Amino acid sequence: MRSVVDFLTHYGVTLLLVLFVAFPLTWMVIASLTPANELFTSPPKMLPSTLTLNWYRETWQASDAPTYFMNSLIIGLSTTAVCMIVGVLSAYATTRFDFPGKNLFLGAALASYVFPAILLFLPLYLILNALRLTDSLAGIIVAHIVVSFPFAVWMLRSFFQGVPRELDEAAWVDGASYLRTLVSVILPVCMPGLFSTAIFVFVLSWNEYLFASVIAGSAANKTITVGIAEFITSFDVRWGNIMALGTIATVPVVIMFMFVQKYFLKGALEGAVKG
């Protein structure tokens, strides 16, 4: 009897948590498929009488949503690539070697990540403006790297610290260089951590709104989060378009999680234990 109660309690609580977390996403998808005349009924209905793709058609064809989507994809992938390449080298160097300024670098990286991003906004914007990088994808990529790089370094450090140093020393004895040791010995062992860090960095860049909304001046350089906000005006809030574009915006992240779910869970758990 007790095992049955424990079973129902365990799975009942789990089911409630899943429903609680999944409800906003589910409601967004349903609302994006609901006709305009049923979007705001009283009392509200969870399921519409008919389904429609009009919101998706209107959002994709009558706005700059395809451009916003491609811009977010370019910015997210570029930010992830730079943060991972430089972050791996930085994390490996700070976990294996002692050099002047090491603690200062780690302290500055931690401080820039701990403080709210809004504090970095003004000096970063002035630097980008001086470099003529405002109103460009390159400027947004630089801003996202500034925000995500400290997070990548500290997360990668927790995985590298869990790798026995004897592996490095064995490779050095065999004549491998530092870079060869990192690429051929350390990175394959830390593959789950690399996937986890890359996903977190990509999602941070994909969801970022503050820097993108100010740096991207013209429609050709706006991201999908900025595009969603454009459907909110002083006179109207176009909820159907917002829900449709919001659903489209979740597709790349969901696909990425589906492909690397195994590595992500393993890496996240290892990072939680070692961090």
Side-chain angles (χ1 to χ4, degrees):
M1 182 64 183
R2 183 174 179 177
S3 60
V4 175
V5 173
D6 292 342
F7 176 84
L8 292 177
T9 303
H10 175 74
Y11 284 98
V13 172
T14 303
L15 180 61
L16 287 176
L17 288 175
V18 170
L19 292 175
F20 179 77
V21 173
F23 176 77
L25 184 62
T26 306
W27 183 79
M28 179 179 70
V29 175
I30 294 175
S32 69
L33 298 171
T34 302
N37 59 345
E38 296 185 25
L39 203 53
F40 298 101
T41 56
S42 182
K45 296 190 299 183
M46 276 302 299
L47 296 176
S49 58
T50 59
L51 299 178
T52 178
L53 294 176
N54 286 340
W55 294 119
Y56 288 93
R57 191 177 300 111
E58 178 182 317
T59 302
W60 198 255
Q61 295 179 352
S63 70
D64 293 320
T67 302
Y68 301 157
F69 186 88
M70 287 304 301
N71 288 343
S72 288
L73 205 58
I74 294 171
I75 293 170
L77 294 176
S78 301
T79 301
T80 304
V82 174
C83 284
M84 291 304 296
I85 294 173
V86 184
V88 163
L89 296 174
S90 302
Y92 181 69
T94 54
T95 54
R96 290 298 192 270
F97 310 107
D98 290 322
F99 52 87
K102 170 184 170 181
N103 292 332
L104 178 62
F105 167 76
L106 292 175
L110 181 62
S112 62
Y113 180 69
V114 172
F115 283 105
I118 189 67
L119 297 179
L120 304 173
F121 178 76
L122 182 57
L124 182 59
Y125 182 83
L126 293 176
I127 293 173
L128 293 176
N129 189 48
L131 296 175
R132 300 181 183 276
L133 289 178
T134 54
D135 194 13
S136 69
L137 295 184
I140 302 175
I141 292 172
V142 171
H144 286 188
I145 291 173
V146 170
V147 175
S148 304
F149 176 71
F151 169 80
V153 171
W154 276 95
M155 190 167 179
L156 288 169
R157 272 176 54 82
S158 66
F159 294 106
F160 289 157
Q161 287 171 339
V163 179
R165 190 178 178 81
E166 287 75 11
L167 288 178
D168 302 65
E169 295 172 349
W172 296 338
V173 169
D174 290 339
S177 63
Y178 294 143
L179 184 60
R180 178 68 181 273
T181 301
L182 172 63
V183 174
S184 302
V185 178
I186 304 302
L187 292 187
V189 178
C190 296
M191 199 57 71
L194 297 178
F195 277 115
S196 300
T197 307
I199 290 175
F200 274 118
V201 171
F202 180 82
V203 172
L204 277 176
S205 175
W206 185 267
N207 293 334
E208 202 281 330
Y209 172 79
L210 175 64
F211 291 100
S213 63
V214 177
I215 296 174
S218 61
N221 296 316
K222 291 182 179 178
T223 62
I224 199 163
T225 53
V226 180
I228 291 175
E230 285 191 339
F231 289 107
I232 302 175
T233 67
S234 303
F235 308 99
D236 188 19
V237 179
R238 301 169 64 180
W239 287 109
N241 300 105
I242 292 174
M243 296 302 162
L245 193 52
T247 303
I248 293 172
T250 61
V251 172
V253 178
V254 172
I255 292 176
M256 183 176 294
F257 270 96
M258 288 174 60
F259 277 104
V260 298
Q261 181 183 19
K262 179 178 66 176
Y263 298 102
F264 175 76
L265 292 176
K266 185 178 179 182
L269 291 175
E270 288 180 352
V273 173
K274 295 167 186 171

